[in-house]
Amino acid sequence: LAPWLPVVGLEIHAQISSNSKLFSGSQVQFSAPPNSVVSFFDASLPGTLPVLNRRCVEAAVMTGLALNCSINKKSLFDRKHYFYADLPAGYQITQQRVPIAVNGSLSYSLCIDNKMSQMVTKTVRIKQIQLEQDSGKSLHDDTRSQTLVDLNRAGVGLMEVVMEPDMCCGEEAAAAVRELQLILQTLGSSQAVMAEGQLRVDANVSVHHPGEPYGVRTEVKNINSMRFLAKAVDYEIQRQIEELENGGTILNETRAFDSKLGCTVPMRDKEGKQDYRFMPEPNLPPLILYDAKSLPANMNHQQVVNIDWIHERLPDLPSVKRAKLVEQYGILPEHSFTLLNEDGLTEFFENVVKQTQMKPKKVIGWILKDLLSYLKQHSLTVKESPVSPFLLADLLNLLEKKQISSTAAKQVLTELWKGEGKTPLEIVKEKKLELIQDQQELEQICQAVIDGQENEVIMMVLG
Amino acid sequence: AQVEGLHFQVSAALREGRVSPAELCQRCLSLIKGTKFLNAYITVAEETALRQAEESEKRYRRGQPLGVLDGIPVAVKDNFNTAGIETTCASNMLKGYISPYNATVVQKLLDQGAVLLGKTNLDEFAMGSGSTDGVFGPVRNPWSYSRQYKEKSVPKSHSEDKESNWVITGGSSGGSAAAVSSFTCFAALGSDTGGSTRNPAAHCGVVGLKPTYGLISRHGLIPLVNSMDVPGILTRCVDDAAVVLGSLAGHDPKDSTTIQDNFKPFELPNLTDVSKLSIGIPKEYHAPGLSSEILALWSKAADLFKDAGAKVIEVSLPHTRYSIVCYHVLCTAEVASNMARFDGLEYGHRSDMNKSTESMYAATRREGFNDVVRGRILSGNYFLLKQNYENYFVKAQKVRRLIANDFVKVFRSGVDVLLTPTTLTDAVPYMEFIKEDNRTRSAQDDVLTQAANMAGLPAINVPTALSERGLPVGLQFIGRSFQEKQLLSVAKWFEKQVKFPMIQLEEVKRHEHGVFQHQKSASFS
């Protein structure tokens, strides 16, 4: 059987972290009471006009720069028309012709095997980033045959990040999205929490034989977590391969991931082959961005977004942070990945290092093996850890000073998890776990042991 | 003596206490009642108007009026949002719709103490050139009842009464034009997308100003074509238009298409010397269907400038003949888009049909929109289809650029202002007007006005003379972008020369008061 090459591209919608919406002044608030943060413009009241939110533009520029994109100094807004209950104006304002950023790349890492012992770096091309409005939410109440519409989310700013089909499986897709998520969170341009709908991923999947043209692709939607992303993509790849090997064909359709059944199903023909009748948005002039060279001298700075100014103020991206951790602390690259992957873990680690004489190379083991596994076992976040950096550092110092053995240290740690407020030293004393440092005392103990085992000693001396 | 204007007459009278805002308001309200047959108003906001007038009165008594507009009764076309007062766009879709906010221009008028009498009638959603296609019925041109028209009209038979040969106002801001023309208010807001302020101004014998696109905020103006719409100003004289312009123009952060530059309201100079002016006469505006009467007036006007020493030259705007078709494509495309929000969900009419969301949308839109609106939506959606977009929409945008460039070239060659007719004929009787459909009429009637909208240029109708039928005929001046001061100065000079006669309306005579002065008219023709 000829091998199959799966091809995976992603369309990711990241909600912009801003106080107000993309084109109106109403607040961006998760879980607000229904229809309580809706401006006249969001509700599409006739005669209202869009006014562009500067912060949203800055967020998109930051993200574009972090993803190595070219920032378009002139970009345009368009209307994308379709009728749906959660789209009050009957169109979405988006950037179809000329988006704000294009032609970037994202590097991400994968483990070769499950043990995190060998990592390989991959790159996915970023086709573009565009600014657009989020829609409201509609809840279908089938029992009462009605649809409930909540417009709180209508008009919230989104960055759509389009990743080219450079990925080949669920794991790569998940790793790429994970890295994007970290970048967005580092920049602060999006909080990117999938569970809160701040990061939504649609996957485009197809398969083909090497040397042949790409196959028909399907779009997979309704993926609500990183884990489901990998599952959905892998399922769809498998489904397509099986279908084709059985002589069937792949339809260019949209499918939804059913997390309960772990499979993809065709979606209700909600959009079908829609003609969105794109048209330029006449109420918004072209978006012009400046850099240090093109910035006119007498320009009102309130009205201007300067790309270079934003570039200068970009924080360290995850890849840079990881490299710094490896260099500064002598830990392995895979360690740095785990540190950054857990919210707050890097901080915890660095705090412990500050407070202990133990070398970071050794501390990392305690962090990644003992602390982290305990947290995972009990589904706790780093912030919820009953053991603080101070306590752990204290314990490690005892170990470093050879006051206790490594086995004893683990026992103390187990006690510390209980969070009873005892210090490591107290626990050591309580459980009599101290290493004996006194030579004479040691000799006495050894002698006592030997004395109690006379026969064995004679056997050993005789050979 | 000049035509009654607020700048010279009423404002002074208010300041000097010769008339009070409350009296003025009362008189206008009762005149509105007396001229109800004109059907110029959809909503009369009697209570709020009287309250506003009282507030104004208090300010005058304290010696602290807010400005020239304080206490002045005004009317606003019913496609501008007015908080607490119904805004219908003369459509079933918005019957009973009470907006929660004021359009910026409405707010500005109110902030200066103007008294808002009510909302005026129009073609549904401003689509039309007759003010005949709204759900509240057609607007009648006040001149239909003027002595000047009645004297000239010969009833064809005994049975034909005055009711059946009334003439249209033109459109789509016919209600506003009729309101100003019949003295029920001193200024009115209209909108102008293809000529909707200038056309009815010409037919009703009032000044109709279309400002430069981007000068006055459209926030709160329910849009027809976002890239061409402007709020229009209707008054009885050019000075008044300048005053209203001064109170409305300027950047609005709520409207991203308004220019950022600071606008300085200007005092209109009294031009006496026009010898430094260059007036352009675009030959393409001698359009098919232009009545010989109007052609003669246009010629006479050109001579007027020439005799006064101005340079009058023939110019060419070669792409004029394409502008109607181009306008049709761009207008319907934007209409299709702008009307998409009317789905019955958030506001406005909602059909009882509830089998599904889609069926509810379809029924709501069928019930809420008239044929004209639905026709434009269908056309517009057709032009926006992926397979048609390049050939229609993009092509039309390119032609639009050519039309705009025609004007740029002419103005760059040294012409200050263009002089053209505003309409092809004087106002036609309603019975004759409705023999052709809205689309045909619009295509015919917009020919002379609509290129200015394509190019975003300022333009003004100045009432010039009465036709043989005793009806008003106006001429149009088109100016350079943002050069309203120059445009209005020339218009004011012309207005002074032609001395357009005051309408002689029985109803107005009955409601007359000392503020109105009789006009000795030296008719232009």
Side-chain angles (χ1 to χ4, degrees), chain B residues 276-297:
Chain B
K276 298 202 185 62
L277 272 179
S278 170
I279 308 287
I281 309 288
K283 62 181 189 196
E284 290 83 3
Y285 279 63
H286 183 164
L290 184 66
S291 78
S292 48
E293 214 176 16
I294 297 190
L295 181 59
L297 270 175

Side-chain angles (χ1 to χ4, degrees), chain B residues 481-512:
Chain B
S481 240
F482 300 107
Q483 300 303 314
E484 271 78 353
K485 185 171 178 184
Q486 179 179 60
L487 176 69
L488 290 170
S489 304
V490 173
K492 177 173 167 175
W493 180 87
F494 183 71
E495 177 188 62
K496 230 199 297 194
Q497 311 309 309
V498 302
K499 299 192 185 58
F500 182 80
M502 191 173 104
I503 188 176
Q504 282 160 38
L505 268 183
E506 198 55 49
E507 290 73 12
V508 173
K509 267 221 183 86
R510 264 184 252 131
H511 289 80
E512 202 172 84

Side-chain angles (χ1 to χ4, degrees), chain A residues 4 240-251:
Chain A
W4 287 103
Q240 289 192 11
I241 291 174
E242 277 168 24
E243 183 70 35
L244 291 170
E245 283 183 347
N246 287 333
T249 54
I250 305 300
L251 294 170

